[in-house]
Amino acid sequence: LSRHQFVDHWRTIHQPLSLRIHPQWTYVRNVVDRPLSGSVDFDAVCEEGLADVDDVLDPARFFGADGGDWRQNSRAIREDIPLFLDPSTTTSSLMREYRIHAT
């Protein structure tokens, strides 16, 4: 895909699908224009925030936010991803966020 095709599919097809299926409370999509240093050349970075770790660890919760069949939703996501991403070069990481408030 061209860069434009990649971004267009992500924005118009995958993001609405993801927001419908997953129980997200944040979805941050960053398209990388160019690396600032000698780092790995990424095309994009996406952050999906969930309220509870079980929202991602339990497939019925992770793929069932719309109340639909989570297995069909999982299949829809799995079928869409290779249409705009190369799964062999895509990395996912499960992380926790800690907010520190100054007093």
Side-chain angles (χ1 to χ4, degrees):
L1 295 178
S2 71
R3 186 168 189 79
H4 173 76
Q5 290 169 316
F6 158 70
V7 172
D8 187 60
H9 185 99
W10 190 12
R11 182 180 56 82
T12 63
I13 307 295
H14 188 78
Q15 183 177 359
L17 181 66
S18 181
L19 290 172
R20 178 177 60 82
I21 289 174
H22 300 307
Q24 300 169 24
W25 57 275
T26 61
Y27 188 103
V28 180
R29 184 182 68 230
N30 294 288
V31 177
V32 176
D33 181 50
R34 62 183 169 79
L36 295 178
S37 65
S39 65
V40 177
D41 189 15
F42 290 103
D43 293 318
V45 177
C46 181
E47 174 187 335
E48 299 179 31
L50 299 125
D52 188 279
V53 70
D54 288 333
D55 287 341
V56 72
L57 297 178
D58 178 349
R61 287 170 63 166
F62 189 60
F63 295 105
D66 66 351
D69 182 320
W70 72 266
R71 288 174 184 86
Q72 288 179 346
N73 288 345
S74 174
R75 185 171 28 262
I77 290 288
R78 281 193 324 272
E79 290 173 354
D80 184 58
I81 286 173
L83 299 178
F84 76 109
L85 293 177
D86 178 354
S88 71
T89 62
T90 301
T91 302
S92 295
S93 299
L94 183 59
M95 299 179 188
R96 289 186 187 266
E97 177 180 42
Y98 297 94
R99 295 182 183 219
I100 300 171
H101 299 276
T103 55

